[in-house]
Amino acid sequence: MIGRLNHVAIAVPDLEAAAKTYRDTLGAHVSQPQPLPDHGVTVVFIELPNTKVELLEPLGEGSPIAKFLESNPAGGMHHICYEVDDIIAARNALAAGGARVLGDGEPKTGAHGKPVLFLHPKDFCGALVELEEV
Ligand SMILES: CC[C@H](C(=O)O)C(=O)SCCNC(=O)CCNC(=O)[C@H](O)C(C)(C)COP(=O)(O)OP(=O)(O)OC[C@H]1O[C@@H](n2cnc3c(N)ncnc32)[C@H](O)[C@@H]1OP(=O)(O)O
Ligand SMILES: [Co+2]
């Protein structure tokens, strides 16, 4: 079912400062900020030779990462995104196996313009899992 690692995401309180750290201290190539109002976050991506790092900060009221940042005020590892060939088939198989698919269970369009879903961290070793159909 899961394929390549698409990205590892780090939630941060200040996206500009975090992007500067990655750009100036770690010499990374950092994309321009991408507001995702449907997801309540603004993101940047750091392209690495073998995968990507997503930095995300809350956008607007009711951001899904606000509570995470209350518990992790300096920021922290937020989720891991795996690629799947067929997100509906993956969702149906996972739900049939008892996994909790977050939201209304229907894929939304993610930062890469592809369908994404999230799986509850308590069902996957304490890690929030994102699936992206590629
Ligand atoms: C899609 C656009 C972009 C992209 O890549 O394309 C993105 O990735 S956007 C990413 C932001 N969107 C989301 O994260 C959507 C999915 N997230 C959620 O639905 C919630 O954040 C949820 C359900 C994971 C957590 O909800 P909440 O923050 O309200 O906290 P809870 O008290 O309900 O948490 C329950 C339980 O889970 C633990 N928890 C929360 N967040 C995480 C996490 N990121 N990793 C691991 N564990 C997490 C939390 O500590 C609670 O545990 P407990 O032991 O009960 O205290
Ligand atoms: Co993501």
Side-chain angles (χ1 to χ4, degrees):
M1 182 185 297
I2 58 173
R4 290 170 10 115
L5 172 66
N6 183 276
H7 62 271
V8 174
I10 301 171
V12 297
D14 180 337
L15 189 61
E16 190 178 338
K20 183 169 172 26
T21 297
Y22 268 78
R23 186 181 300 114
D24 300 349
T25 309
L26 292 172
H29 176 268
V30 185
S31 74
Q32 285 303 305
Q34 186 182 355
L36 297 170
D38 286 355
H39 296 278
V41 295
T42 301
V43 304
V44 298
F45 279 95
I46 289 122
E47 296 282 344
L48 300 174
N50 63 331
T51 189
K52 293 185 276 296
V53 171
E54 178 184 58
L55 304 178
L56 57 159
E57 75 171 4
L59 174 63
E61 296 301 311
S63 171
I65 67 170
K67 203 166 171 190
F68 180 89
L69 285 168
E70 282 169 24
S71 312
N72 305 276
M77 301 283 275
H78 183 261
H79 64 271
I80 187 165
C81 181
Y82 302 111
E83 294 177 358
V84 292
D85 296 333
D86 181 337
I87 200 163
I88 297 302
R91 178 202 61 190
N92 293 346
L94 289 162
R100 285 167 284 185
V101 180
L102 297 171
D104 64 5
E106 290 308 314
K108 289 170 104 175
T109 302
H112 302 128
K114 303 283 183 58
V116 300
L117 278 173
F118 288 89
L119 306 173
H120 202 287
K122 294 300 181 191
D123 298 333
F124 294 93
C125 315
L128 177 61
V129 171
E130 179 182 6
L131 301 180
E132 179 172 325
E133 184 177 88
V134 296

